[in-house]
Amino acid sequence: MAKGYDLIIVGAGPGGSVAAKTAAESGLKTLLLERSRVPGEKNVSGFGLTSKAYRDFPWLHQMELPSMRVGRKCVAHILSPPPELAERICLYSGTSRRISYQEGKEFFTVMMLRREFDEYLARQAVAAGAELRTLSLVTGLVRERGKVCGVRLEGGEEFRSPVVIGADGVLSTVARHSGLREKWRPEEVVSVCCIDFSASRERLDCVIDDATFHGFFGPGIGGNYFMCMAEGVHLGGPGVGNSLISRLKRRRIKPAKELLDTIKAPSTLNLLKAVDAVPREWQAHLLPWLDRMPTNIFGAGVMLIGDAAGLPEPIWAEGVWQAMYSGRLAAEAAKEVIDEGDTSFSSMQRYLDRLEDSPVGRDFIGGVQMRNLFELLGDPRVLGELTEMMVDLFVAMFMNGQEVHAEAMSRLLPILAENLPALLEVGRVYTPVLMEMYSQSLRDKLRLLKSVGAILSGMTSDLDQVDGDGT
Amino acid sequence: MSEELDSFDRFSLINIVPASRDFIRIEGEKCAGCGACVVICPMDLWKVREGHARLVEDYREKCMECGSCFITCEYGAIDFSYPPAGEGIIYKFA
Ligand SMILES: Cc1cc2nc3c(=O)[nH]c(=O)nc-3n(C[C@H](O)[C@H](O)[C@H](O)COP(=O)(O)OP(=O)(O)OC[C@H]3O[C@@H](n4cnc5c(N)ncnc54)[C@H](O)[C@@H]3O)c2cc1C
Ligand code: SF4
Ligand code: SF4
């Protein structure tokens, strides 16, 4: 006899654990299933939790983990094309005062190990009353009358529940067995390789301090990044900007070789040396990378969240906050449909509607257009020209001790004029991004007007009725 | 540091509990020999020989379960599922 629950969640990553915490707190009898021995030991990212997560899940402010390092600065290194990979520009930036909420004004991300973070979240779910079962690989779903109503583990054991949430990551078994998606297409995912290094805390404190993110970009460079935790450094990439298909089509370069080659850039290597970094682990993971908000993410009795749903945002493929946010929405929707006793397709639709309206869904606005912009900036010719233009301007304006100041300054306009073609090209691609953003906000305003209109017309017809009753 | 990177050995920097059953299956007759899996695998576990993809014999000791080969194969020749619970790749510093 299969054991019964109100809600079963497959996968104890950030999405699954937040869904389980939310569900258990709302009184649902919740089962959280995870294939690994300890939540987090399968989940590569090594990773930055953005300030949005602290805004939306205030209980995170209590979290203290050994690997944590707060990132208040970001550094972009722009390098010359391979093989030199010489540093041409380095932009060092703090947070912007224009960010609309306090945490965002204070920091970018908190860096930490997923192993610690995922375990912490799973403990929160258990503390809220969810039952966590590790060493449980889900291999199939149980269905009745077209609805998903449970899961099957390898070995045959079954668990029943009116709603199942697939929080099982990029290669989701729940997506596959519910018929929502067989697998991603190669253009919809990126493959990211990482090297994790141990590093000296003292050296990190003095060399890195709170500039925890260093990105390495440049003409013909895939885009590596370097994230610093309390006592470790994580080097990843070049993933973003390289879907599996674009990697195959454009370059046929092996991901591992590309990572190893580009970290030999002097700026990367010197940073690693300065913090006494020693390689301690090699990692690889897939990540969904869509330019449109996916919609095929629910069915009768089933919802997908996080990577299983393809929710990482369209530019950097940040996905942990997205997993947590969608997990909470899905658990709230589950509570409602279970209380209403209706887990049909149309009843579950509310999950998608709310997700589309949430900041997670809205982060996909202009995704297609932004991808085009990124593609253009990734074009070695365009980025090469823009980089050298910035160097020329900077040297002419601020750093010129090599020539007569007035002569150097008078070069500003000619430099801009010379680079007009590249600037116009960027403008041509940036305009559609802006248009898409503005048209979306216009659409939102129209929608608001429409709903106000509907309320008004509802009121007037009520009034008519009152008038009618009165006579 | 540069010497460490020159001698960088991926295989000595992973930790795997070898799976007790197969979890990658090749359907030979569907394979078009396109070589996509060979390019994409971060551990270089694939080869194409005589127009057909081959996975190294001891992949259970080397595969990182990333699924890249499965997603990349557009001919449906590779099937992938996870190893049994608690087996396979274990990240200590992810
Ligand atoms: C290299 C890299 C760097 C990244 N960096 C960042 C970053 O800095 N910031 C950020 O926000 N995001 C980052 N991401 C993205 C982020 O890792 C994902 O978006 C996020 O992990 C998604 O969370 P999830 O809960 O949906 O899925 P996952 O974290 O993938 O969790 C899925 C869980 O389900 C379990 N599972 C899978 N199948 C089964 C099954 N059949 N039965 C039982 N259990 C199962 C898995 O073991 C796992 O624990 C990065 C990703 C990569 C690859
Ligand atoms: S990707 Fe598929 S079709 Fe191409 S060689 Fe590999 S198995 Fe064969
Ligand atoms: S799952 Fe990843 S590591 Fe394993 S064989 Fe496929 S591509 Fe290679």
Side-chain angles (χ1 to χ4, degrees):
Chain A
M1 183 62 207
K3 224 172 144 187
Y5 291 86
D6 294 326
L7 179 64
I8 295 173
I9 298 162
V10 183
S17 287
V18 167
K21 173 174 161 48
T22 311
E25 280 168 352
S26 76
L28 294 183
K29 189 176 175 209
T30 305
L31 176 64
L32 179 59
L33 295 168
E34 167 58 47
R35 72 185 175 108
S36 62
R37 304 168 309 175
V38 188
E41 69 177 15
K42 295 281 190 183
N43 304 340
V44 173
S45 61
F47 115 93
L49 185 63
T50 48
S51 46
K52 314 194 268 294
Y54 287 81
R55 173 195 63 192
D56 297 333
F57 301 92
W59 44 268
L60 285 172
H61 284 286
Q62 265 107 57
M63 177 173 69
E64 286 288 343
L65 302 174
S67 61
M68 274 170 34
R69 181 180 287 269
V70 182
R72 300 180 203 277
K73 299 191 191 75
C74 279
V75 190
H77 302 260
I78 305 183
L79 311 181
S80 66
E84 294 82 31
L85 299 169
E87 183 133 334
R88 297 296 293 154
I89 299 180
C90 175
L91 294 168
Y92 206 94
S93 160
T95 52
S96 161
R97 31 177 206 172
R98 288 179 188 259
I99 302 291
S100 58
Y101 59 97
Q102 196 50 35
E103 289 89 344
K105 288 192 207 313
E106 286 170 9
F107 62 94
F108 284 107
T109 50
V110 180
M111 302 298 182
M112 60 190 96
L113 289 174
R114 281 292 297 276
R115 233 194 130 130
E116 293 172 6
F117 179 66
D118 287 19
E119 208 183 338
Y120 176 86
L121 289 190
R123 265 191 274 124
Q124 302 302 306
V126 171
E131 183 183 336
L132 168 68
R133 262 193 60 157
T134 52
L135 291 172
S136 303
L137 179 71
V138 171
T139 52
L141 297 176
V142 185
R143 287 156 170 282
E144 251 164 33
R145 291 184 295 277
K147 282 185 191 167
V148 173
C149 60
V151 303
R152 193 169 304 111
L153 301 191
E154 182 166 44
E157 195 177 357
E158 281 183 13
F159 298 97
R160 298 277 180 139
S161 64
V163 177
V164 172
I165 292 180
D168 47 349
V170 59
L171 300 169
S172 171
T173 305
V174 176
R176 205 170 170 181
H177 286 267
S178 59
L180 288 170
R181 177 185 64 246
E182 178 60 21
K183 62 174 185 173
W184 298 110
R185 294 194 307 272
E187 62 271 28
E188 293 173 323
V189 287
V190 293
S191 127
V192 192
C193 295
C194 304
I195 305 172
D196 181 87
F197 299 82
S198 64
S200 139
R201 181 189 288 261
E202 290 71 38
R203 306 289 302 156
L204 281 165
D205 285 348
C206 93
V207 178
I208 296 292
D209 188 23
D210 57 1
T212 52
F213 180 86
H214 288 246
F216 298 91
F217 312 95
I221 301 166
N224 293 325
Y225 60 86
F226 189 89
M227 41 213 325
C228 306
M229 294 163 282
E231 287 184 316
V233 171
H234 208 85
L235 195 94
V240 174
N242 271 308
S243 71
L244 289 180
I245 203 78
S246 68
R247 189 184 279 291
L248 285 173
K249 277 198 185 135
R250 278 195 302 215
R251 336 212 219 152
R252 300 195 77 88
I253 300 175
K254 291 187 181 266
K257 176 161 179 357
E258 197 175 8
L259 180 61
L260 287 175
D261 280 353
T262 48
I263 58 177
K264 290 183 182 160
S267 48
T268 317
L269 207 52
N270 287 339
L271 262 175
L272 289 170
K273 277 188 200 159
V275 298
D276 292 340
V278 179
R280 60 180 175 188
E281 196 163 72
W282 170 251
Q283 308 166 341
H285 209 278
L286 276 187
L287 183 54
W289 194 49
L290 310 187
D291 53 13
R292 288 188 179 80
M293 157 91 196
T295 50
N296 199 20
I297 57 172
F298 73 98
V302 62
M303 288 175 272
L304 303 177
I305 65 173
D307 280 13
L311 296 179
E313 47 82 25
I315 299 300
W316 304 105
E318 173 207 345
V320 168
W321 166 77
Q322 288 76 357
M324 295 169 72
Y325 204 102
S326 56
R328 181 162 68 190
L329 285 182
E332 287 165 358
K335 167 75 177 158
E336 292 171 16
V337 298
I338 290 165
D339 285 352
E340 291 162 20
D342 179 4
T343 60
S344 65
F345 182 87
S346 56
S347 171
M348 310 287 291
Q349 169 82 34
R350 69 188 82 191
Y351 166 57
L352 178 63
D353 292 345
R354 288 173 199 172
L355 192 61
E356 279 181 326
D357 264 348
S358 77
V360 173
R362 299 171 61 79
D363 229 4
F364 282 88
I365 301 170
V368 180
Q369 292 82 357
M370 279 191 276
R371 284 283 180 84
N372 292 339
L373 182 64
F374 262 55
E375 195 122 313
L376 180 76
L377 289 179
D379 178 332
R381 211 175 31 85
V382 176
L383 185 57
E385 281 176 28
L386 290 177
T387 304
E388 291 311 318
M389 179 191 75
M390 288 199 285
V391 173
D392 292 341
L393 288 174
F394 181 70
V395 171
M397 284 170 75
F398 302 110
M399 274 302 159
N400 194 302
Q402 297 140 302
E403 290 163 316
V404 172
H405 291 304
E407 282 169 14
M409 296 282 264
S410 68
R411 264 209 307 269
L412 287 187
L413 286 179
I415 291 171
L416 285 173
E418 207 178 286
N419 286 285
L420 210 56
L423 289 172
L424 283 176
E425 187 62 9
V426 175
R428 190 181 65 78
V429 184
Y430 191 59
T431 316
V433 180
L434 285 183
M435 303 265 285
E436 180 65 22
M437 308 280 162
Y438 285 126
S439 71
Q440 178 71 30
S441 79
L442 259 181
R443 274 199 293 274
D444 287 348
K445 293 205 176 85
L446 282 177
R447 223 166 39 175
L448 190 73
L449 274 180
K450 241 170 76 183
S451 55
V452 172
I455 295 171
L456 283 178
S457 75
M459 282 178 171
T460 34
S461 68
D462 284 353
L463 279 178
D464 287 350
Q465 205 139 21
V466 173
D467 282 354
D469 291 349
T471 49
Chain B
M1 190 70 237
S2 5
E3 310 83 70
E4 268 150 4
L5 287 178
D6 281 333
S7 61
F8 186 86
D9 173 24
R10 284 169 282 171
F11 297 97
S12 66
L13 288 172
I14 56 173
N15 181 20
I16 287 180
V17 178
S20 53
R21 59 159 167 77
D22 276 314
F23 56 93
I24 300 181
R25 219 157 30 88
I26 315 168
E27 291 185 44
E29 64 293 354
K30 290 190 189 163
C31 172
C34 72
C37 52
V38 181
V39 177
I40 234 70
C41 174
M43 297 307 275
D44 297 322
L45 303 182
W46 292 87
K47 293 208 166 34
V48 173
R49 288 272 175 279
E50 290 144 16
H52 280 283
R54 303 264 161 77
L55 180 61
V56 296
E57 291 275 321
D58 57 350
Y59 78 95
R60 291 194 223 167
E61 282 144 47
K62 296 176 174 165
C63 169
M64 311 186 80
E65 298 159 38
C66 71
S68 299
C69 51
F70 164 62
I71 302 282
T72 306
C73 181
E74 298 202 85
Y75 298 87
I78 300 177
D79 196 14
F80 175 92
S81 55
Y82 283 122
E87 300 179 2
I89 189 90
I90 288 164
Y91 292 113
K92 293 186 186 154
F93 304 103

